[in-house]
Amino acid sequence: MVLPIYRRASDRLYGVLFGASIALMLASAVHAEEVAVPSVSFVNDVIPVLTKASCNTGGCHAKAGSGQNGFQLSLLGFEVAEDYEAIVREGRGRRLFPTIPEESLLLKKAAGETPHGGGVRLPKDSEGYELIRRWIGEGAPFEKENDPSLETLEVQPARSVVGMGKEIQLKAVATFSDGSQRDVTEFTLFESNSEAMAEVSLEGFVEIQQIPGRVAIMLRYQDKSAVFTAAVPLGAPLDELPEAKNFIDEFVFGNLQEIGIPPSPVCDDATFLRRVTLDITGRLPTTKEAEAFLNSDDPAKRDQVIERLLRSPGYADFFANKWTSLLKNRRDDARDITSNFAFHAWMRDGLLDNVAYDQLVRELLAATGTVVANPPVAWYKRVREPKEQLEDVAQLFLGVRLQCAQCHHHPFERWSQDDYYSLAAFFSQVGRKPTATRGEDMIFHKRGIATATNMKTGEKLRPAALGDSVGDIPADQDPRLLLADWISNPDNPFFAKALVNRYWKHFFKRGLIEPEDDIRDTNPPSNPELLAALEKHFVESGYDLKELVRIITQSRAYQLSAVPNEHNLIDEQNYSRYYPRRLQAEVILDAVNDLTASQTSFRNLPLGTRAVALPDNSYNTASGFLKIFGRPDNASVCECERVQSSSLAQSLHFINSDEVKTKLRSSSGRAAELAKRNSPAEESIRELYMIAFSREPAADELRIALEYLDQVPSDADGKPLDAKAAISQNYQDLIWALMNSKEFMFNH
């Protein structure tokens, strides 16, 4: 590699002095030729030492801008030529003192002999200090003629079964281009993907904690990485397992057998009906649906209800709500209403008709024309710049987070800046021109050779798909079509995997890979065999989304009870039980409306429109309920924008908000209607429980409710209410108590 020549007179003077000192050292070394001490490599030795000492992290000298105090290094040493320039030549060479290496500012600061904001990073008796001292003493060369390059990094062992509370030492072995191997454990970075399950020291010593399952330790040396995976068994006896329904059960239960975690039993019919209806359609089962299902003796009734739900408009409404949020269908001003409604309708209709997933993605990526004629072009209204387009496509459809690679090599992956800008090139020829519809552009392909400029090197890059060549693209051909071809190719290692992992998380709360949109070699799945089988099934089904939902919800793994047994309460990743989760904001609002027999009015939409069917984010500002309970603003492709955790504001909203009080007190609402009935109170209580929980009340629940309904509340002045007002108030209180219960607020 040729480095820049000195640019200033002071640099030339330094070069003369530096060269003289090197010549003096070489002359003195002639008499010591018989001592064969390996020379120190800047790339293979010095950079790993600085990386292990955290000198080139984002919080230290690799900080964006100017590093620390004018000393700038590349993040984790990915740009070695720049680092060499910074260490050896910048600052007039004052950081190194070749004749007396120990006096080099680089070492004195790192050893704490000179004031250093980062403290002591390399003690004088450490191997890292000695390597850098020797390198400086050898003349601080950048590279030598026969310096080998790093080929692979291997961790030993690569996998193991390690008991809870046990320990294991990892070894990192680097293989170089000359065939040599070296133990580089001391200068390798180690990181656990779950510190609650396993902690790892700087030296690669792993301490397993008291949580069973699978845990991974990531290793990184130079630009290579490796992963150690450990199975941590609980070792509890598995006397019997639920009968497997499909391949999902075989892999889930097989994993539970291997690590010794007994699963909970299959849930009862009422729990299953409520769970699957909420997960597929985002609503509570009706009382008629619940009674018919619970009274049926048909052994296939669970499969039948899944089919009915998949055929229903509710399925399309619920999943269109999910996808349009991730695709940023948001309203920034009143003019967006045409495109937003059209885009939502396109997605909903596609899901209802079960259009193949690869076709939906193709229609989106390659969209041209106007929003009226071709609604998918609305995506290009929200996501306008090629860099934003490539980042959203990569994260949403491939599960790859490329944002880091815009400025530097991805710290946890193999993606470089060239990979980033080569992917951006696919969108470089997207053209726009105004249409007769105010605020709406026509999207078209601009004739020309697609390129994107690497902002760091200035190189113009042709389209390439994450390292895969798509060939030369003629000026007349829209490069987005080739991107769609590559994405939907059955051999694509990301596309199907990202989708099945995303849907798995939708139904199980936790993805097989977490986060669900961070798929990389250094973030392995908790059950790799299951993920591979799901991916294969999805591709072979023709990217059939309904079939994926079907196979997941039919599995006994999905139908396990949420009630833990004595062994699996601590399990958080092996799916030995159903993991309860709080309902989404829209689902809770619809459920409250169902329970109170009320409706929420949304502007520009018919009365009775459900919250899960809202086309964009604009309704968040009109509904305090949706905002408080975490409905996303459709500003990100990350599912993390949706908040499903509980908060004090949510509790206060149920206690004090006029919105909830109005629904409870409505003269046409549930409480008023029940108060007017002449039927026994037991029937009304059973009806409320069937609406809220899809089940009959237990004996104690029925008794407590009856006792409360018999009480006579007082008004603000302490006077007893009349009988009509009292029973209405009591039904309001009973309904309020049910909607505040965890059983109502959670899918379980």
Side-chain angles (χ1 to χ4, degrees), residues 158-306:
R159 60 180 59 200
S160 182
V161 177
V162 190
M164 291 188 295
K166 302 297 183 181
E167 303 163 342
I168 187 171
Q169 175 65 53
L170 302 181
K171 179 180 179 181
V173 178
T175 300
F176 294 89
S177 56
D178 61 358
S180 63
Q181 290 189 327
R182 193 199 316 170
D183 182 349
V184 294
T185 305
E186 184 170 353
F187 303 114
T188 295
L189 298 179
F190 298 87
E191 183 177 336
S192 172
N193 74 337
S194 174
E195 292 189 357
M197 293 188 65
E199 296 180 355
V200 60
S201 70
L202 295 174
E203 295 77 25
F205 186 72
V206 181
E207 297 180 80
I208 301 298
Q209 305 303 303
Q210 298 297 321
I211 299 178
R214 296 185 184 275
V215 66
I217 305 295
M218 180 187 72
L219 291 74
R220 184 171 59 244
Y221 177 78
Q222 294 191 45
D223 62 345
K224 298 294 188 291
S225 61
V227 177
F228 163 77
T229 55
V232 183
L234 178 65
L238 272 72
D239 297 329
E240 62 178 278
L241 291 167
E243 182 181 357
K245 174 79 173 181
N246 53 38
F247 69 86
I248 290 175
D249 299 324
E250 294 171 2
F251 287 111
V252 170
F253 296 154
N255 179 57
L256 293 177
Q257 282 185 309
E258 181 180 349
I259 59 180
I261 300 180
S264 296
V266 173
C267 66
D268 58 48
D269 283 344
T271 300
F272 169 76
L273 178 65
R274 187 177 190 271
R275 177 190 300 174
V276 76
T277 305
L278 284 167
D279 275 346
I280 293 181
T281 64
R283 65 168 176 85
L284 297 173
T286 66
T287 53
K288 289 183 178 179
E289 289 172 337
E291 290 168 354
F293 183 78
L294 296 177
N295 293 330
S296 173
D297 294 326
D298 191 333
K301 66 180 182 180
R302 294 196 177 192
D303 290 351
Q304 292 168 0
V305 76
I306 292 170

Side-chain angles (χ1 to χ4, degrees), residues 575-591:
Y575 314 104
S576 61
R577 55 187 172 85
Y578 185 83
Y579 304 137
R581 62 186 183 278
R582 206 212 71 192
L583 301 179
Q584 298 177 6
E586 305 93 315
V587 178
I588 297 177
L589 180 55
D590 287 340

Side-chain angles (χ1 to χ4, degrees), residues 385-396:
E385 299 300 323
K387 289 190 291 187
E388 189 180 5
Q389 290 159 358
L390 85 89
E391 290 173 4
D392 285 10
V393 167
Q395 187 169 344
L396 183 57

